[in-house]
Structure formats: C-alpha cells, structure tokens
Amino acid sequence: MTNPKQSQPTKVVYVGPNLTRGRLLRYRVFIGGLPTHLDEEFQKCPNLKKLFVDVENLNKAEIEIMTAGTPLNKYFAEAAALNKED
C-alpha cells in the first residue's frame, strides 16, 4: 500500500520580500519545487532559494525571519537588496 502523501508534489511557499516588477510575491506557493523563471535572481542572490520553505514550516520560518541574526533574517535582507539593484 502506498502512502498518498508521498505521491503528492512538493509545495513550497516563498517567505521573502516582494521583488519589484512582480517577479516574485511573498507567500506565493509553488508546487513541484522552485520556479525556473527566477534563475537570474538565483544567480545574483543564491540565498534567495533558502526563502522557499515547505508549507508546513511557514509559521516557524516567519518567526525566524523576524528574529535578528537568524539565517532566514539575513537571507530576507539579501533578497530585499535585489530590489535596490533594479
């Protein structure tokens, strides 16, 4: 017997800041992994990928983003800097 959860595609939610020109919006859910239309942004800011978390971990990620000095807090600031480059 197979586990129905295993057959479902991975769902991740983006917890970083909105990126200008509508490139990426906070809390957008992606099914099946990271979006490929952001490859250029991923090259500029590799830690942007770390702002995509499993939907089940959204609350934990939000707390970490608001806590100064945590990795997600730093990644959020790096992603926000992408808006300044535009």
Side-chain angles (χ1 to χ4, degrees):
M1 179 179 239
T2 61
N3 183 346
K5 256 190 159 180
Q6 289 178 343
S7 63
Q8 293 180 1
T10 304
K11 291 181 185 178
V12 294
V13 59
Y14 174 67
V15 295
N18 290 340
L19 298 184
T20 57
R21 299 186 322 267
R23 293 174 293 172
L24 187 58
L25 300 176
R26 191 169 193 188
Y27 304 123
R28 181 152 180 216
V29 175
F30 294 89
I31 299 171
L34 300 177
T36 57
H37 73 281
L38 295 170
D39 288 342
E40 186 177 322
E41 281 77 12
F42 291 149
Q43 287 179 347
K44 290 180 189 174
C45 180
N47 286 330
L48 184 65
K49 291 180 180 181
K50 296 177 182 175
L51 291 168
F52 290 84
V53 299
D54 290 331
V55 173
E56 297 84 23
N57 295 327
L58 176 59
N59 289 338
K60 180 181 175 187
E62 283 293 297
I63 292 168
E64 190 172 334
I65 285 169
M66 294 185 290
T67 305
T70 63
L72 280 183
N73 177 268
K74 292 176 184 180
Y75 305 149
F76 189 98
E78 287 177 25
L82 287 174
N83 288 328
K84 294 176 185 172
E85 294 176 8
D86 290 335

